[in-house]
Amino acid sequence: MYPTPEDHLDRHVHGYISDKDEYLRRLRRIEGQARGLQGMVADEKYCIDILTQVSAMTRALESVALGLLHDHLDHCVRDAAAAGGPEADAKIKEASEAIARLVRS
Amino acid sequence: MYPTPEDHLDRHVHGYISDKDEYLRRLRRIEGQARGLQGMVADEKYCIDILTQVSAMTRALESVALGLLHDHLDHCVRDAAAAGGPEADAKIKEASEAIARLVRS
Amino acid sequence: MYPTPEDHLDRHVHGYISDKDEYLRRLRRIEGQARGLQGMVADEKYCIDILTQVSAMTRALESVALGLLHDHLDHCVRDAAAAGGPEADAKIKEASEAIARLVRS
Amino acid sequence: MYPTPEDHLDRHVHGYISDKDEYLRRLRRIEGQARGLQGMVADEKYCIDILTQVSAMTRALESVALGLLHDHLDHCVRDAAAAGGPEADAKIKEASEAIARLVRS
């Protein structure tokens, strides 16, 4: 189930995020891209070059989201489904809504 | 698991698709939109009006995909997760890949 | 400008759509995909296979939209920009709005 | 055309970017969102909440891209179209390719 205090402690050790350091590395890189874009706008770099950077950053962010979503299905949704009951219904509905937000954004 | 002949028969009666008639109705409407677009292109209707129709059709298709994906999580993935083992791993990996294709398309 | 009666006649011969037959061919294929999806749903084919087809259809539709948008920029927007004035402003605003709908759908 | 040294100087004053301070403000906010996401991942916040933040950040980035693209059409593409010739062809092709990258990312 999600979350009991014990789960929560456990999660900090073997949490649902498969490789926290890798996600943090990718998010720091995305933060750097956001800073780089500010420099490009401040210097009025050529618009198409700025847009190319925005597309790269969007794809990097999308890739982080898809990784996290996979981890979520693989841990929280899987555990809830195995336990069954209304918790399973709720987790599946919640995951579907998050997927819809990603597909539409 | 998926599929045994019995499951398959069962699936035709209480299958994973929550409301088959509703999906068929929406897909017939999407087919009609594709036909309508051919008429607009043949008549060289104003380009922006054609693009507005394409956007509407894309959203309708996306909405069908999100509904089917929810049904899939709610049946196939849930059942596999409850049964556990390598089948569960495979179903979750497969669902994540389908979500990635949707997000990137 | 867009449209004078003469332009309109001309457009039916050398209109803004670069290759009408090619667009019609692709839209007929998309219509066929919509019909194919109905068959897959009616037969309750495996959900992931249906979603793969939906992704392919979405990409095909997106590709038609991007082609039409290029044709539109290359004819209507270019001509309006060359003529200048409020018509140019209006065409550029309208194109930007159509692009936003495509990006968000 | 684009860029001469004079244009470049001029661009820093009346450049193609409609409201530089507004874009910088939005990009700083996006940079803050990227930093916030690192905190959420480091603390293993609930996955769905992280995904909600990623969706919000993606939409913010998309909105910056659409604004810059409009500015680009309204200045560089419009000027090139008014001037005509191969420069106009090149600018329209380049803009169409940037739009395709945005739609597909």
Side-chain angles (χ1 to χ4, degrees):
Chain A
M1 281 302 101
Y2 191 96
T4 64
E6 295 80 295
D7 271 338
H8 197 249
L9 279 172
D10 187 53
R11 185 155 296 113
H12 275 84
V13 187
H14 317 281
Y16 73 90
I17 295 181
S18 58
D19 185 345
K20 202 194 275 196
D21 289 343
E22 170 62 15
Y23 284 116
L24 288 174
R25 196 189 62 71
R26 287 155 76 181
L27 286 169
R28 274 194 300 269
R29 195 168 182 281
I30 288 168
E31 185 194 338
Q33 287 174 303
R35 232 175 353 249
L37 283 171
Q38 291 168 57
M40 292 180 90
V41 167
D43 295 348
E44 296 217 20
K45 293 293 185 204
Y46 186 46
C47 182
I48 296 291
D49 295 335
I50 303 181
L51 290 175
T52 300
Q53 282 306 101
V54 172
S55 292
M57 190 176 156
T58 304
R59 273 195 306 277
L61 201 51
E62 201 168 82
S63 173
V64 165
L66 291 169
L68 289 169
L69 186 64
H70 175 264
D71 289 348
H72 180 69
L73 292 177
D74 206 26
H75 292 84
C76 303
V77 174
R78 181 202 286 246
D79 293 351
E87 176 76 5
D89 295 342
K91 281 280 174 270
I92 287 166
K93 185 166 179 291
E94 185 188 57
S96 295
E97 288 164 356
I99 294 165
R101 282 193 297 272
L102 283 180
V103 168
R104 290 180 172 135
S105 72
Chain B
M1 279 313 95
Y2 190 95
T4 64
E6 292 80 339
D7 270 337
H8 197 249
L9 278 172
D10 187 53
R11 185 156 296 114
H12 275 85
V13 187
H14 316 284
Y16 73 90
I17 295 180
S18 58
D19 185 345
K20 204 194 277 197
D21 289 343
E22 170 63 14
Y23 284 116
L24 288 174
R25 195 189 62 73
R26 286 154 76 181
L27 286 169
R28 273 193 301 270
R29 196 168 182 280
I30 288 169
E31 185 193 338
Q33 287 175 303
R35 231 173 356 249
L37 282 171
Q38 291 167 58
M40 292 180 91
V41 167
D43 295 349
E44 295 217 19
K45 293 293 184 203
Y46 186 46
C47 183
I48 296 292
D49 295 336
I50 303 182
L51 290 175
T52 300
Q53 282 305 101
V54 172
S55 292
M57 189 175 156
T58 304
R59 273 195 306 276
L61 201 51
E62 202 168 80
S63 173
V64 165
L66 291 169
L68 288 169
L69 186 64
H70 175 264
D71 289 348
H72 180 68
L73 293 177
D74 207 26
H75 292 83
C76 303
V77 173
R78 180 202 287 247
D79 293 350
E87 178 75 7
D89 295 341
K91 281 281 175 268
I92 286 166
K93 185 166 179 292
E94 186 189 57
S96 295
E97 288 165 354
I99 294 165
R101 282 193 297 273
L102 283 180
V103 167
R104 291 182 170 134
S105 73
Chain C
M1 281 298 103
Y2 188 95
T4 63
E6 292 79 346
D7 271 336
H8 198 250
L9 278 173
D10 187 53
R11 185 156 294 113
H12 275 84
V13 186
H14 317 282
Y16 73 90
I17 295 181
S18 58
D19 186 345
K20 202 194 275 196
D21 289 342
E22 171 63 14
Y23 283 116
L24 288 174
R25 196 189 61 73
R26 286 155 76 182
L27 286 168
R28 273 194 300 271
R29 195 167 182 282
I30 288 168
E31 184 194 338
Q33 288 175 303
R35 233 176 350 251
L37 282 172
Q38 291 166 57
M40 291 179 91
V41 167
D43 295 349
E44 296 217 22
K45 293 293 186 204
Y46 186 45
C47 182
I48 296 292
D49 295 335
I50 303 181
L51 290 175
T52 300
Q53 283 304 102
V54 172
S55 292
M57 190 175 156
T58 304
R59 273 195 305 277
L61 201 51
E62 201 168 81
S63 173
V64 166
L66 291 169
L68 289 169
L69 186 64
H70 174 264
D71 289 348
H72 180 68
L73 293 177
D74 206 27
H75 291 86
C76 304
V77 173
R78 181 202 286 249
D79 292 351
E87 176 75 6
D89 295 341
K91 281 280 175 268
I92 286 166
K93 185 166 180 291
E94 185 188 57
S96 295
E97 288 165 355
I99 294 165
R101 282 194 297 273
L102 282 179
V103 167
R104 290 183 171 133
S105 71
Chain D
M1 278 313 98
Y2 189 96
T4 64
E6 291 82 341
D7 270 338
H8 197 249
L9 279 172
D10 187 52
R11 186 155 297 113
H12 275 84
V13 187
H14 318 284
Y16 73 90
I17 295 180
S18 59
D19 185 345
K20 203 194 274 197
D21 290 343
E22 170 63 14
Y23 284 116
L24 288 175
R25 195 188 62 73
R26 287 156 75 181
L27 286 169
R28 272 193 302 270
R29 195 167 183 282
I30 289 168
E31 185 194 338
Q33 287 174 304
R35 231 173 355 248
L37 282 172
Q38 291 168 57
M40 292 179 90
V41 168
D43 295 348
E44 295 217 20
K45 293 292 187 206
Y46 187 44
C47 183
I48 297 292
D49 296 336
I50 304 181
L51 290 175
T52 300
Q53 282 305 101
V54 173
S55 291
M57 189 175 158
T58 304
R59 274 195 305 277
L61 201 51
E62 202 169 80
S63 173
V64 165
L66 291 169
L68 289 169
L69 186 64
H70 175 265
D71 290 349
H72 180 69
L73 292 177
D74 207 26
H75 291 85
C76 303
V77 173
R78 181 202 286 247
D79 293 351
E87 177 76 5
D89 295 341
K91 281 280 176 268
I92 286 165
K93 185 167 179 290
E94 185 187 57
S96 295
E97 288 165 355
I99 294 164
R101 281 194 297 272
L102 283 180
V103 168
R104 290 182 171 134
S105 72

